[in-house]
Amino acid sequence: MRNVLKILCMAVLLSGCTALMVGNGSSSGGQLGKGERTEEQIRQDAVTTAAVSSRLAADSQVGGFNIGVETFASRVTLRGTVNSFEVRMRAQELANSVDDVVSVSNQIQVVNQQ
């Protein structure tokens, strides 16, 4: 009887460990919450950021400006300053032309417009 009680106690205690190991430590069974990404999504966003940055740097109109690029869930955000609305729009066109880009938030500011 005593051994049965010990086994029952162990089973109850270990059942919580199983959820911890299988569910990745979350009570939701390892599902990602809002704003969380898998390692693959993080890697893909980094690849997208690099591709957009390369296109901007290689472009004759946009390349001379310091434009920051961030990507989250294939949505690209551009930040920085340029000297004309045309350059601002060209940066957005280049970002949109990269594979896997879902949308572009163009937060580039135009200063000293020519």
Side-chain angles (χ1 to χ4, degrees):
M1 180 71 163
R2 231 176 150 167
N3 285 339
V4 172
L5 208 52
K6 284 181 183 179
I7 292 172
L8 262 166
C9 287
M10 292 286 282
V12 169
L13 289 173
L14 291 176
S15 67
C17 293
T18 304
L20 189 62
M21 290 169 32
V22 173
N24 201 20
S26 73
S27 60
S28 64
Q31 294 177 346
L32 295 175
K34 186 176 182 178
E36 295 181 26
R37 299 179 292 171
T38 65
E39 287 183 29
E40 175 59 24
Q41 289 167 326
I42 292 169
R43 187 196 64 74
Q44 184 56 49
D45 284 345
V47 168
T48 300
T49 296
V52 171
S53 296
S54 293
R55 286 223 181 141
L56 296 177
D59 188 76
S60 61
Q61 281 184 287
V62 180
F65 297 96
N66 186 16
I67 297 174
V69 179
E70 294 177 15
T71 307
F72 186 88
S74 298
R75 289 167 175 79
V76 174
T77 301
L78 303 176
R79 290 189 179 92
T81 56
V82 296
N83 63 0
S84 72
F85 184 76
E86 290 78 18
V87 173
R88 180 182 188 272
M89 294 310 298
R90 177 69 179 152
Q92 183 170 337
E93 289 172 17
L94 290 167
N96 271 318
S97 72
V98 172
D99 290 342
D100 297 326
V101 171
V102 172
S103 65
V104 176
S105 173
N106 191 344
Q107 297 179 14
I108 298 172
Q109 296 180 353
V110 178
V111 294
N112 300 327
Q113 189 170 2
Q114 297 176 351

